[in-house]
Amino acid sequence: MKLGKNAMTVLEKRYVSRDEQGTPTETVEGLFHRVANAVAAADLEFDSEADAAKTAAVFYDMMTNLEFLPNSPTLMNAGKDLGQLSACFVLPVQDSMEAIFEAIKQAALIHKSGGGTGFSFSRLRAQGSTVKSTGGVASGPISFMKVFNMATEAVKQGGTRRGANMGILRVDHPDILEFINCKKVNTDITNFNISIGITEAFMQAVEDGASYSLVDPASHAVVGELDAGEVFSEIVQAAWSNGEPGIIFLDRLNRDNVVPGQGEIESTNPCGEQPLLPYESCNLGSVNLLQMLSVSKNGEVRLDYRKLERTVGNAVHFLDNVIEVNKYPLDKIEETTKLTRKIGLGVMGFADMLLKLGIPYDSDEGVELGRSVMEAVNRFGHNASRLLAESRGAFPLFQESIYAGEPPLRNATVTTIAPTGTLSIIAGCSSGVEPVFAFAYIRNIMDNTELVEVNPILKDALEAGGLYSDALMKRIIAEGTLAHIEELPQSLRRVFVCSHDISPIYHIKMQAAFQEHTDNAVSKTVNFKSDATVDDVEEVYRLAYSLGCKGTTIYRDGSREGQTLNIGKVTRDGEAAPAEPVAVKPRPRSESMLGLTKRVKIGCGNLYVTVNYDDFGICEVFTSTGKAGGCSSQSEATARLASIALRSGIDVDYVIKQMRGIRCPSTIRQGGMKCTSCPDAIARVIREVDDNLKHGRLAVASDARNLPFKFCPECGKPLENGDSLQQCKKCGFSRALEPKQKTEASAPPSPGGAKCPECNEIMEHEGGCVSCRNCGYSKCS
């Protein structure tokens, strides 16, 4: 077996069979024999004289050589009593109380078996609509999403992770504005990814600057209209704030619907890459492109297309067998799945392959290679499916499909690019078609020892050039990139680019290139640096549409932890609704800040108040007493609490209001005092800094005016930056900046965001999912 140490750790922790006491009952080698034997046994269903043992040996070698791996439920459950091998399902949600709670029950059974679920809530009537049977009013799709979410929370998925869901609402649903912002405060709907179902008509209205119609899902009557550009801006703003919602182009999903007579595709699996009809399931697997490389006698690295064709053929055989041996959680799912026999064969290790070939990810050459590789995978896959159809027959709905009249196909769809978070750790390669997230990590092991882990391809390249050292690796870890380490050759830095080095434009170009030759869709996350603007996100969403993607997901570094909280809600009438309790955490302290220190005379001497700010606003307050002494502990406590409140998104005016005017006996006894207490003094300095920030007139340092604001101090909307001026399109605020001086390029920020619930390390957003490179935890796979 080619399995590395990390792979063994993940497999032993998450995948091997255990008894009721949690003791492993198989080895890792036994795990792969169990899966290979169980899946190969399907051959006997079609040919009683088939050599299933020979097939099992092929499958075993393919997996243990890390050439191909199936989705996690197959590795976990094949050959066991549970036997549920599918990664994802789509369930219908019809507009009746009975149907809604039937869907909840079905989802619970799927989550119990280890699968994820996708739903479209577009058929549910809008909030406030009349319910004829009771005379009451409907509560709307978002309220029912919360019920689905609570049910998911109660079911531990497959004994390993919480169930993952996708919730989709059409952009022309009357409740679309509420849906766009339903995860702004991410405490109610924690087990859902959400996406907007975008139509071609809506995008055309965005382009034309026109309004579009809102449609009642029951009567299909037009019940209102909205400005398309404003709705699109709401989607973009919400995605910039915390990464959701994503967008899915519904008309494109249905353009490629293989059996349109069976109905419309309304939803996808939780990561957005597998469009499915109601009650369909999908069985996923990925070819490791890193293992498809060969080295010629003269040392030239190239893609071995013969090996790729052989591996793809075996993988299609494997996945078609999975459909047969699978133990489905519902009879309706088995029936529907076997009518189309959809499989989703994708790739992983693409970024590593580029590194080996010396091709930058963010280059036209890299994009073109992605296009040609996926064309080959898709062609080989369809050829293999046709070959299976010769002996096993075409999928039952073939004559009703768009392929009728062509050579029979065994599977209605063959290719999908899925996220491979945990699988890529097992395979020792990069995830899906994502760029490398980071080239080096520090792994903390049990005795607090720091272990430097380096991308093996980078390590080989550095050692070949006599450049490798632990000191260099720690610098790469600290900076998060090789881009600004000038002692490294430019040729090496140009090839070894990580996710945050790559322009979001090239993220989308690469996704579009793979989409051209993928039956289903491509799961990919466009990773932005933390200082990306709303306009940057809008550009990517527009580009995804223009380049032919079926959808896209973005994540701005650190946006989950540092987002501005909206404590209250707005009702449909526009009036403020009662606030709901929210667990608030302060955003992280910036590494460098500017500030103002003021000396203020108080009743017991002098108090020195320092107020610091970064590009999000005031974030930190310090105090120090003079030689005469004073109540230093109380002033320090006040400053600390003020700092936490300000970094937690509390309006500065509220903080000031709570401290202004507090009286201390020592000030009352003395006349002519400008402040009434230490808290009052702190509030006065905070007010002074806040006023100066709003009007750009700080005078503490010559470059204070060069610190750009992210948001307008008048209306809070994102500002547009020019060379010497910042402007707000919303309210007209403008602010002059001094000419920028040339400075050395700074490294991108270190990855930020959600912490792994198992090992507390930072998780990576990639492939439309979230995964942890440290312990193998994945939300989706």
Side-chain angles (χ1 to χ4, degrees), residues 298-406:
N298 62 3
E300 180 185 3
V301 180
R302 62 181 181 85
L303 180 61
D304 186 338
Y305 279 93
R306 287 187 179 180
K307 184 176 183 181
L308 179 62
E309 183 174 16
R310 183 173 66 253
T311 304
V312 167
N314 290 331
V316 169
H317 182 182
F318 183 104
L319 293 174
D320 190 66
N321 279 18
V322 164
I323 293 174
E324 211 60 32
V325 301
N326 200 348
K327 295 181 181 179
Y328 296 89
L330 299 170
D331 291 341
K332 180 67 172 175
I333 290 175
E334 179 173 11
E335 175 191 341
T336 308
T337 298
K338 289 184 175 179
L339 287 174
T340 56
R341 303 190 68 89
K342 290 179 178 177
I343 60 173
L345 177 64
V347 298
M348 56 184 166
F350 174 68
D352 285 340
M353 183 187 78
L354 289 177
L355 297 178
K356 282 280 193 181
L357 295 171
I359 300 173
Y361 188 99
D362 54 342
S363 67
D364 291 340
E365 184 182 6
V367 171
E368 187 53 44
L369 181 60
R371 182 179 288 110
S372 63
V373 166
M374 199 60 208
E375 187 279 330
V377 170
N378 199 51
R379 174 161 43 86
F380 296 154
H382 279 253
N383 289 343
S385 185
R386 290 189 185 97
L387 189 62
L388 280 176
E390 292 178 7
S391 59
R392 299 183 175 186
F395 63 90
L397 292 180
F398 180 79
Q399 292 302 330
E400 299 177 30
S401 76
I402 61 175
Y403 295 119
E406 298 181 15

Side-chain angles (χ1 to χ4, degrees), residues 663-682:
R663 289 189 169 269
C664 173
S666 64
T667 60
I668 296 173
R669 291 192 295 267
Q670 301 184 39
M673 299 292 297
K674 291 185 178 179
C675 66
T676 59
S677 65
C678 291
D680 185 66
I682 294 168

